[in-house]
């Protein structure tokens, strides 16, 4: 099958069987395309939320661009500054610019070996290469940026905790984002005392920086995804296919296929697409399927691919019981991205 080489036309994602080597995964550990040019200067802090400017200043200093602390005079001792931690952890809601600031940190830090990826990309790399090989790969790295730190799987979290501990001991600096403070990660999800101890130990490596604000993706919209009728959907898919490669799948077929493709390969699943089409969207009744869809939408959003859909609006796919559970923040982030993608 050679659809990835096509420049236009319609493909079925459910018919794609993507492969991704460890080397290819490493090569992709850079900021998403929309943040290729992200800088601290281009981050527009909202004056209504002073924490945004404070976060920008703190990360500028972390990246080596801040002003040096004042020294004491001849007869004065310099004041002892705060403890310098090897990592910074940017905590805040959806759409307040965390990823922009993380990417700006990546671009601004004048080091040779630096990597930028989502939590799932790092854990997928461990799965593809093995733990020891992954440690060897990153050993000596100057900076690791981890976007949307997740705790959905205790095993993945323990692996990442161990990995980061080894890298920090070797001098690697860390920058991470999440929607939950580090010492609260895992609360309401897993009760194992040993697991919680690991989370708290990991949190001690980070300076936590809080950032407040409203979701920029919803500032100019009504907060709902767009659902098309069958005729409008067909017209948009047909028109887009004359100008680029588009996908067209039934929602049920796509969800079933995502279970057969490792999340680390979702980026290859959507390779070359200019638009994603999903027909007959319905509400989830299986949490595992919902979480795979969230991972898929993360990749679609990072690639800035618009979505067109029929059926219920995509912001309504997660039922109330899921939104009230331990993965609430993850589902809300996906809803934010789904709304933006259907309006693109």
């Amino acid at each position: 099958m050679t659809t990835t080489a096509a420049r236009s036309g319609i493909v079925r994602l459910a018919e794609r069987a993507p492969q991704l080597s460890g080397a290819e995964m490493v090569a992709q550990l850079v900021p998403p395309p929309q943040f290729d040019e992200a800088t601290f200067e281009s981050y527009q802090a909202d004056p209504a939320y002073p924490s945004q400017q404070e976060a920008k200043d703190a990360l500028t200093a972390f990246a080596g661009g801040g002003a040096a602390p004042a020294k004491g005079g001849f007869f004065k001792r310099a004041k002892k500054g705060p403890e310098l931690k090897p990592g910074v952890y940017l905590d805040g809601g959806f759409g307040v610019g965390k990823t922009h600031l993380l990417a700006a940190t990546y671009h601004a830090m004048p080091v040779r070996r630096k990597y930028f990826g989502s939590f799932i990309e790092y854990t997928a790399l461990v799965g593809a290469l093995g733990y020891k090989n992954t440690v060897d790969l990153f050993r000596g790295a100057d900076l690791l940026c981890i976007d949307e730190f997740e705790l959905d799987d205790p095993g993945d979290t323990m692996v990442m905790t161990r990995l980061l501990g080894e890298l920090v001991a070797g001098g690697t600096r860390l920058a991470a984002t999440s929607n939950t403070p580090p010492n609260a990660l895992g609360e309401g999800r897993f009760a194992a005392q040993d697991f919680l101890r690991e989370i708290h130990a990991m949190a001690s490596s980070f300076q936590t920086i809080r950032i407040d604000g409203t979701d920029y993706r919803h500032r100019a919209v009504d907060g709902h995804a767009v659902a098309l009728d069958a005729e409008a959907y067909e017209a948009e898919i047909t028109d887009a296919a004359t100008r680029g490669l588009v996908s067209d799948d039934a929602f049920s077929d796509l969800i079933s296929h995502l279970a057969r493709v490792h999340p680390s390969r979702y980026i290859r699943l959507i390779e070359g697409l200019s638009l994603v089409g999903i027909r007959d969207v319905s509400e989830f009744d299986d949490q595992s399927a919902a979480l795979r869809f969230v991972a898929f939408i993360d990749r679609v959003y990072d690639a800035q691919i618009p979505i067109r859909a029929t059926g219920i609006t995509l912001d309504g796919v997660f039922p109330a019981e899921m939104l009230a559970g331990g993965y609430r923040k993850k589902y809300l982030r996906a809803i934010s991205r789904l709304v933006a993608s259907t309006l693109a």
Side-chain angles (χ1 to χ4, degrees):
M1 184 173 177
T2 59
T3 54
T4 57
R7 294 180 180 274
S8 63
I10 299 174
V11 297
R12 302 280 189 262
L13 295 183
E15 295 175 357
R16 285 185 161 189
Q19 300 297 319
L20 196 64
S21 70
E24 290 172 318
M25 294 166 72
V26 172
Q28 292 176 350
L29 290 178
V30 294
Q34 69 267 39
F35 297 110
D36 279 345
E37 307 298 327
T39 64
F40 293 121
E41 291 72 22
S42 63
Y43 177 78
Q44 300 299 312
D46 187 340
Y49 297 94
S51 62
Q52 293 189 9
Q53 184 63 47
E54 293 167 4
K56 176 179 173 178
D57 292 342
L59 286 168
T60 300
F62 177 80
K71 302 288 186 181
F74 285 114
F75 303 103
K76 293 182 181 179
R77 282 189 190 198
K79 290 185 178 179
K80 186 177 181 181
E83 176 192 1
L84 294 177
K85 296 189 175 184
V88 290
Y89 195 106
L90 192 57
D91 167 59
F94 314 109
V96 296
K98 298 189 307 299
T99 302
H100 182 121
L101 288 173
L102 188 67
T105 301
Y106 172 93
H107 292 307
M109 190 167 283
V111 295
R112 184 176 63 87
R113 289 189 59 201
K114 51 187 176 181
Y115 302 92
F116 184 110
S118 66
F119 180 85
I120 192 173
E121 287 176 297
Y122 287 110
T123 55
L125 190 61
V126 174
L129 302 182
Y131 179 80
K132 183 182 183 303
N133 289 336
T134 305
V135 172
D136 291 341
L137 169 69
F138 289 125
R139 183 173 283 118
D142 299 292
L143 174 69
L144 243 67
C145 294
I146 309 162
D147 199 23
E148 295 294 353
F149 208 103
E150 305 280 3
L151 287 179
D152 301 327
D153 182 278
D156 283 347
T157 303
M158 297 293 276
V159 166
M160 280 297 288
T161 298
R162 183 180 165 200
L163 174 65
L164 296 182
E166 292 202 39
L167 295 177
V168 166
T172 299
R173 302 180 74 189
L174 310 171
T177 73
S178 184
N179 302 117
T180 311
N183 60 0
L185 290 173
E187 290 181 9
R189 297 188 185 175
F190 310 107
Q193 199 60 37
D194 288 344
F195 179 60
L196 290 175
R197 266 201 305 271
E198 287 291 335
I199 293 174
H200 286 285
M202 180 179 63
S204 67
S205 296
F206 292 91
Q207 171 195 355
T208 302
I209 302 171
R210 177 71 191 177
I211 179 169
D212 301 298
T214 57
D215 188 341
Y216 76 89
R217 289 182 287 264
H218 291 180
R219 287 172 195 164
V221 302
D222 62 5
H224 291 289
V226 174
L228 304 173
D229 61 33
E231 184 177 353
Y233 175 85
E234 186 68 29
E236 290 219 26
I237 293 294
T238 301
D239 177 64
T242 65
R243 294 175 279 105
L245 192 65
V246 306
S247 67
D248 179 20
D249 291 84
F251 183 70
S252 59
D253 292 342
L254 173 61
I255 299 307
S256 295
H257 190 56
L258 292 180
R260 297 188 290 269
V261 178
H262 190 277
S264 66
R265 296 173 181 169
Y266 289 173
I267 186 70
R268 182 59 56 84
L269 190 64
I270 60 173
E271 185 176 42
L273 295 183
S274 62
L275 185 142
V276 170
I278 309 175
R279 289 178 279 108
D280 303 322
V281 174
S282 59
E283 189 177 77
F284 282 106
D285 58 10
D286 176 78
Q287 185 142 262
S288 294
L291 290 171
R292 284 191 290 267
F293 185 64
V294 169
F296 172 75
I297 292 304
D298 284 344
R299 301 285 74 77
V300 172
Y301 179 78
D302 284 345
Q304 294 289 277
I305 303 174
I307 297 175
R308 299 296 178 261
T310 71
I312 69 170
T313 59
L314 279 164
D315 56 306
V317 295
F318 307 112
E321 58 269 26
M322 288 188 186
L323 291 175
Y327 301 108
R328 172 178 171 79
K329 289 181 181 293
K330 174 174 278 193
Y331 292 138
L332 291 178
R333 184 189 76 221
I335 288 172
S336 171
R337 293 177 169 184
L338 284 164
V339 170
S341 297
T342 62
L343 290 166

